[in-house]
Amino acid sequence: MPAPSDRDAAPSQRGGVPSAPANAAHWDEHFSAFCAAFGGAVALRREEPLAAKTTLRVGGAARIYAEPASVDELQVLVRAAQTRGVPILMLGRGSNVVVPDEGVDALVVALTHEAWARFEPRADGSVQVGAGLRLKNLCGLAAKAGLAGFEFLEGIPGNIGGALRMNAGAMGGWMFDVVESVQLMSRNGAVTTLAKAAMHVDYRHCAELHDAIALGAMLRPAARTEGDAVARQIDVYRKKRQESQPREPSAGCIFKNPPGSSAGRLIDECGLKGERVGDAEVSPVHANFIVNRGRASAADVLELVRRIRARVRQARGVDLQPEVLLFGKNWEDVL
Ligand SMILES: Cc1cc2nc3c(=O)[nH]c(=O)nc-3n(C[C@H](O)[C@H](O)[C@H](O)COP(=O)(O)OP(=O)(O)OC[C@H]3O[C@@H](n4cnc5c(N)ncnc54)[C@H](O)[C@@H]3O)c2cc1C
């Protein structure tokens, strides 16, 4: 398994991209400049709390936060951020991130506006979707339209943008199994479409979306179906999840599965189910989930991650690598 590398770093921490100033006055200055540039056209907020925008519900605020309503608005934002040297971090449904307690020194952009939630079946059988479309809605709309092939995504609580970036997968399928092409915006605002064959995709990673922003994708369903076969398959997958995954807030699987092995099984075999730091707990239901029992902090989660890794390394000689991203930071810097 590849070790976590520079590719998983936030833009602010990679070579060549200017670091953002850390102090409040500088961020006030950026904020005022953005507000002046957009004249109120883009919803912008300063020190926007992020915990409630994530499924784990921990962490601090975004120095600046924006919800653009169109490609044009996003483009203006991206170009202004580049000019001012402000790093941009995309936030999908926040289901694969741990937000640090101190928040993130970045412009956090979320494609939550309904304009990003397109679902448009085409005459040639493909489906155009927006990056902000929830996977749950993709599954529901596809079932209604009699389009089979997306059912495996049922229960992954992300949107299309996050699922493309993570190449989300379940039940033996991967997001990129159903992708034909992706529309993306580079960090200088240029919009392009890349065919799947031109993209570099592997386990929980899409190289092109490390820097670029996914705007949408052309998906290819496996088949057209009659009746309620798709809905029934979705129900099967939903039940499977309900039986095997915890209900409490979490960020899904915390660690990647080592090749040929299961992170959850290794953690379980080390007797770590129920292990707790503050309100962060290794789920007694599924050992690869850290759940928030109510008032966990990101620091609690990080300490539990360190403890799990140390125990599994000591007992089994395996270095577990986080699957969940530390938003705006590198895991190497905190582990
Ligand atoms: C209960 C539960 C079950 C889960 N089950 C699964 C599972 O079965 N399989 C699986 O693979 N994952 C699973 N996950 C993890 C998570 O749901 C997926 O990784 C999902 O694809 C993340 O999507 P998101 O929209 O929440 O992205 P976020 O968590 O918000 O972001 C993830 C990454 O994508 C980037 N990103 C977001 N939007 C864009 C965009 N438009 N363009 C470029 N980059 C972007 C972010 O910057 C970040 O780097 C689960 C999580 C939970 C809480």
Side-chain angles (χ1 to χ4, degrees), residues 30-41 44:
H30 287 312
F31 185 65
S32 304
F34 283 160
C35 291
F38 303 134
L44 279 167

Side-chain angles (χ1 to χ4, degrees), residues 8 53-56 74 88-98 109-111 131-133 135 152-171 173-174 184 187 203-204 208-216 241 245-246 248-253 289 323-325 327:
D8 287 327
K53 300 183 195 302
T54 72
T55 54
L56 185 58
L74 179 63
I88 292 186
L89 280 177
M90 296 304 295
L91 183 67
R93 303 285 303 175
S95 63
N96 201 57
V97 292
V98 177
V109 176
L111 305 182
L133 179 68
L135 297 178
F152 69 97
L153 294 167
E154 170 65 29
I156 302 180
N159 66 20
I160 293 286
L164 290 167
R165 162 65 179 84
M166 297 309 302
N167 190 18
M171 316 293 167
W174 276 4
L184 40 87
R187 295 283 162 160
Y203 181 54
R204 302 294 180 259
E208 284 72 20
L209 292 179
H210 190 239
D211 271 332
I213 297 167
L215 306 175
R241 276 184 189 270
Q245 293 185 356
E248 296 87 354
S250 78
C253 288
F289 279 59
E323 171 171 326
V324 168
L325 304 177
F327 205 46

